[in-house]
Amino acid sequence: MWSAIHRLLEEQQRDFAGISHYHQCDGGEVNQSWQLVSGNTHYFIKSNHREMLPRFIEEADQLALLARTGCVRVPEVYGSGTSRHHSFLILEYLPPAPLSKVSASLLGEQLARLHQWGEQPKFGLDFDNSVTLSPQPNHWQKRWSSFFAEQRIGWQLEIAAGKKLFFGDTEQIIASVSRCLANHHPSPSLLHGDLWPGHCAEAHNAPWLFNPSCYWGDRECDLALWQTDNVLTAPLLNAYQQISPLPEDYTDRQPAYRLYYLLNRACAFGGSWQEEAQQVIDNLLRDYR
């Protein structure tokens, strides 16, 4: 793999000084991650099995899309490729640190502008992508409640069933989510799409985003993963609402939006994710029969 990375960087970076050394980084969720040093330049490498290359190409396209908005900061993409056994993605290396309250506030402003960027009459994306280990369909639809209930919750429940994870009657769950969103008619916003606090970091005194799962959807989805017990949620939301106020009832929809990501993590990792997803489903079935 390192020979293939060396060749790619040598072709694309005029000042590439060869690989001085590299070491594996913590985290990475479903990929291995590495810091590569070339002279005074550092790169961040994500690697996986060879057949994962399409996922890395998707990620590069989505990072480019977010960068094109000029609203949020994301790592620069230097290229992707394969070796005999591996695929890889080469990104700008950032010296990461947890978000501070100041950076969280700045991120709130940036997200508000991202969600106002561009105009799109439908919900979806020009291509399907993925979230964690799951494919994410993005077929264009006009009605948000149908898009989210079918292509997000219904799809994840189908994946869960294939993994022998069952959360109740699928049709009833989809119907409950659809009823929860029936009277909500948001304008499509470009979303990061998987905005866990862990997919944000502070570098160079500013917030940066990574691991996107972009599509045009309800802006509230990007905020649903910021729980009230997180000390960064208040400064982020306060700054967001100064630029783009949220509807008074936006918290009513947060459990349904959060459910998508809980189901996704339950399918990928099981354990407490499955328990939390079931609890949200039970509440939705009770409240939206």
Side-chain angles (χ1 to χ4, degrees), residues 18 22 50 56 80-81 100 140 164 183 232 245 253 283:
Y22 56 83
R50 183 182 173 88
F56 287 145
S80 59
S100 65
W140 293 106
K164 307 300 182 186
N183 296 320
L232 300 178
R253 293 176 288 276
N283 293 337

PDB file of all heavy atoms in Angstrom, residues 18 22 50 56 80-81 100 140 164 183 232 245 253 283:
ATOM      1  N   GLY A  18       9.120  12.227  -0.514  1.00  0.00           N
ATOM      2  CA  GLY A  18       9.208  10.818  -0.134  1.00  0.00           C
ATOM      3  C   GLY A  18       8.595  10.596   1.232  1.00  0.00           C
ATOM      4  O   GLY A  18       8.259  11.540   1.952  1.00  0.00           O
ATOM      5  N   TYR A  22       5.662   6.752   8.948  1.00  0.00           N
ATOM      6  CA  TYR A  22       4.215   6.763   9.169  1.00  0.00           C
ATOM      7  C   TYR A  22       3.913   5.955  10.420  1.00  0.00           C
ATOM      8  O   TYR A  22       4.691   5.082  10.823  1.00  0.00           O
ATOM      9  CB  TYR A  22       3.458   6.194   7.962  1.00  0.00           C
ATOM     10  CG  TYR A  22       3.867   4.802   7.549  1.00  0.00           C
ATOM     11  CD1 TYR A  22       3.353   3.668   8.180  1.00  0.00           C
ATOM     12  CD2 TYR A  22       4.798   4.614   6.511  1.00  0.00           C
ATOM     13  CE1 TYR A  22       3.743   2.401   7.796  1.00  0.00           C
ATOM     14  CE2 TYR A  22       5.188   3.346   6.130  1.00  0.00           C
ATOM     15  CZ  TYR A  22       4.654   2.240   6.770  1.00  0.00           C
ATOM     16  OH  TYR A  22       5.041   0.984   6.390  1.00  0.00           O
ATOM     17  N   ARG A  50      -9.479  -3.652  -0.335  1.00  0.00           N
ATOM     18  CA  ARG A  50      -9.434  -3.116  -1.693  1.00  0.00           C
ATOM     19  C   ARG A  50     -10.827  -2.769  -2.221  1.00  0.00           C
ATOM     20  O   ARG A  50     -11.006  -1.756  -2.900  1.00  0.00           O
ATOM     21  CB  ARG A  50      -8.755  -4.139  -2.616  1.00  0.00           C
ATOM     22  CG  ARG A  50      -8.584  -3.676  -4.052  1.00  0.00           C
ATOM     23  CD  ARG A  50      -7.950  -4.757  -4.908  1.00  0.00           C
ATOM     24  NE  ARG A  50      -7.942  -4.380  -6.321  1.00  0.00           N
ATOM     25  CZ  ARG A  50      -6.987  -3.691  -6.912  1.00  0.00           C
ATOM     26  NH1 ARG A  50      -5.934  -3.306  -6.210  1.00  0.00           N
ATOM     27  NH2 ARG A  50      -7.060  -3.391  -8.197  1.00  0.00           N
ATOM     28  N   PHE A  56     -14.354   5.326  -0.527  1.00  0.00           N
ATOM     29  CA  PHE A  56     -13.391   6.420  -0.391  1.00  0.00           C
ATOM     30  C   PHE A  56     -13.588   7.469  -1.493  1.00  0.00           C
ATOM     31  O   PHE A  56     -13.430   8.671  -1.245  1.00  0.00           O
ATOM     32  CB  PHE A  56     -11.961   5.888  -0.421  1.00  0.00           C
ATOM     33  CG  PHE A  56     -11.556   5.162   0.835  1.00  0.00           C
ATOM     34  CD1 PHE A  56     -10.709   4.063   0.789  1.00  0.00           C
ATOM     35  CD2 PHE A  56     -12.013   5.575   2.074  1.00  0.00           C
ATOM     36  CE1 PHE A  56     -10.324   3.396   1.948  1.00  0.00           C
ATOM     37  CE2 PHE A  56     -11.640   4.920   3.243  1.00  0.00           C
ATOM     38  CZ  PHE A  56     -10.793   3.834   3.175  1.00  0.00           C
ATOM     39  N   SER A  80      -7.029   9.145  -3.991  1.00  0.00           N
ATOM     40  CA  SER A  80      -7.421   7.826  -3.504  1.00  0.00           C
ATOM     41  C   SER A  80      -6.910   6.789  -4.492  1.00  0.00           C
ATOM     42  O   SER A  80      -6.602   7.107  -5.649  1.00  0.00           O
ATOM     43  CB  SER A  80      -8.945   7.721  -3.359  1.00  0.00           C
ATOM     44  OG  SER A  80      -9.576   7.953  -4.618  1.00  0.00           O
ATOM     45  N   GLY A  81      -6.817   5.552  -4.044  1.00  0.00           N
ATOM     46  CA  GLY A  81      -6.319   4.503  -4.931  1.00  0.00           C
ATOM     47  C   GLY A  81      -6.298   3.162  -4.253  1.00  0.00           C
ATOM     48  O   GLY A  81      -6.845   2.983  -3.157  1.00  0.00           O
ATOM     49  N   SER A 100     -13.745  23.421  21.372  1.00  0.00           N
ATOM     50  CA  SER A 100     -13.950  24.299  22.518  1.00  0.00           C
ATOM     51  C   SER A 100     -15.321  24.946  22.377  1.00  0.00           C
ATOM     52  O   SER A 100     -15.976  24.842  21.333  1.00  0.00           O
ATOM     53  CB  SER A 100     -12.871  25.374  22.557  1.00  0.00           C
ATOM     54  OG  SER A 100     -12.984  26.221  21.418  1.00  0.00           O
ATOM     55  N   TRP A 140     -34.160  10.986  -5.396  1.00  0.00           N
ATOM     56  CA  TRP A 140     -34.826  12.274  -5.225  1.00  0.00           C
ATOM     57  C   TRP A 140     -36.322  12.092  -4.962  1.00  0.00           C
ATOM     58  O   TRP A 140     -37.001  11.327  -5.638  1.00  0.00           O
ATOM     59  CB  TRP A 140     -34.651  13.131  -6.473  1.00  0.00           C
ATOM     60  CG  TRP A 140     -33.245  13.561  -6.733  1.00  0.00           C
ATOM     61  CD1 TRP A 140     -32.401  13.077  -7.696  1.00  0.00           C
ATOM     62  CD2 TRP A 140     -32.507  14.562  -6.028  1.00  0.00           C
ATOM     63  NE1 TRP A 140     -31.181  13.712  -7.634  1.00  0.00           N
ATOM     64  CE2 TRP A 140     -31.215  14.631  -6.630  1.00  0.00           C
ATOM     65  CE3 TRP A 140     -32.803  15.406  -4.957  1.00  0.00           C
ATOM     66  CZ2 TRP A 140     -30.232  15.511  -6.186  1.00  0.00           C
ATOM     67  CZ3 TRP A 140     -31.824  16.282  -4.517  1.00  0.00           C
ATOM     68  CH2 TRP A 140     -30.555  16.335  -5.128  1.00  0.00           C
ATOM     69  N   LYS A 164     -30.466 -10.004  11.403  1.00  0.00           N
ATOM     70  CA  LYS A 164     -31.233 -10.668  12.469  1.00  0.00           C
ATOM     71  C   LYS A 164     -31.469  -9.744  13.665  1.00  0.00           C
ATOM     72  O   LYS A 164     -31.526 -10.198  14.813  1.00  0.00           O
ATOM     73  CB  LYS A 164     -30.530 -11.955  12.935  1.00  0.00           C
ATOM     74  CG  LYS A 164     -30.186 -12.918  11.807  1.00  0.00           C
ATOM     75  CD  LYS A 164     -31.417 -13.383  11.052  1.00  0.00           C
ATOM     76  CE  LYS A 164     -31.049 -14.388   9.962  1.00  0.00           C
ATOM     77  NZ  LYS A 164     -32.226 -14.762   9.110  1.00  0.00           N
ATOM     78  N   ASN A 183     -46.737  16.950   9.229  1.00  0.00           N
ATOM     79  CA  ASN A 183     -47.066  18.379   9.141  1.00  0.00           C
ATOM     80  C   ASN A 183     -45.833  19.271   9.084  1.00  0.00           C
ATOM     81  O   ASN A 183     -45.930  20.490   9.280  1.00  0.00           O
ATOM     82  CB  ASN A 183     -47.944  18.782  10.333  1.00  0.00           C
ATOM     83  CG  ASN A 183     -49.286  18.066  10.313  1.00  0.00           C
ATOM     84  OD1 ASN A 183     -49.896  17.905   9.252  1.00  0.00           O
ATOM     85  ND2 ASN A 183     -49.741  17.621  11.484  1.00  0.00           N
ATOM     86  N   LEU A 232     -21.258  21.464  24.667  1.00  0.00           N
ATOM     87  CA  LEU A 232     -21.043  22.245  23.456  1.00  0.00           C
ATOM     88  C   LEU A 232     -22.343  22.515  22.699  1.00  0.00           C
ATOM     89  O   LEU A 232     -22.368  23.335  21.774  1.00  0.00           O
ATOM     90  CB  LEU A 232     -20.070  21.512  22.528  1.00  0.00           C
ATOM     91  CG  LEU A 232     -18.677  21.240  23.098  1.00  0.00           C
ATOM     92  CD1 LEU A 232     -17.835  20.467  22.090  1.00  0.00           C
ATOM     93  CD2 LEU A 232     -17.981  22.540  23.486  1.00  0.00           C
ATOM     94  N   PRO A 245     -33.052  30.932  12.712  1.00  0.00           N
ATOM     95  CA  PRO A 245     -33.875  30.397  13.812  1.00  0.00           C
ATOM     96  C   PRO A 245     -34.593  29.104  13.429  1.00  0.00           C
ATOM     97  O   PRO A 245     -35.073  28.948  12.304  1.00  0.00           O
ATOM     98  CB  PRO A 245     -34.881  31.526  14.070  1.00  0.00           C
ATOM     99  CG  PRO A 245     -34.204  32.763  13.565  1.00  0.00           C
ATOM    100  CD  PRO A 245     -33.400  32.322  12.380  1.00  0.00           C
ATOM    101  N   ARG A 253     -39.116  16.507  16.728  1.00  0.00           N
ATOM    102  CA  ARG A 253     -38.689  15.612  15.642  1.00  0.00           C
ATOM    103  C   ARG A 253     -37.311  14.999  15.879  1.00  0.00           C
ATOM    104  O   ARG A 253     -36.907  14.080  15.169  1.00  0.00           O
ATOM    105  CB  ARG A 253     -38.691  16.390  14.314  1.00  0.00           C
ATOM    106  CG  ARG A 253     -40.091  16.784  13.865  1.00  0.00           C
ATOM    107  CD  ARG A 253     -40.063  17.625  12.604  1.00  0.00           C
ATOM    108  NE  ARG A 253     -39.564  18.978  12.847  1.00  0.00           N
ATOM    109  CZ  ARG A 253     -40.317  19.990  13.285  1.00  0.00           C
ATOM    110  NH1 ARG A 253     -41.594  19.805  13.541  1.00  0.00           N
ATOM    111  NH2 ARG A 253     -39.790  21.195  13.487  1.00  0.00           N
ATOM    112  N   ASN A 283     -41.141   4.661  22.013  1.00  0.00           N
ATOM    113  CA  ASN A 283     -41.745   5.970  22.273  1.00  0.00           C
ATOM    114  C   ASN A 283     -42.488   6.501  21.054  1.00  0.00           C
ATOM    115  O   ASN A 283     -43.577   7.086  21.169  1.00  0.00           O
ATOM    116  CB  ASN A 283     -40.688   6.973  22.729  1.00  0.00           C
ATOM    117  CG  ASN A 283     -40.105   6.648  24.089  1.00  0.00           C
ATOM    118  OD1 ASN A 283     -40.741   5.947  24.890  1.00  0.00           O
ATOM    119  ND2 ASN A 283     -38.912   7.127  24.362  1.00  0.00           N
TER     120      ASN A 283
END
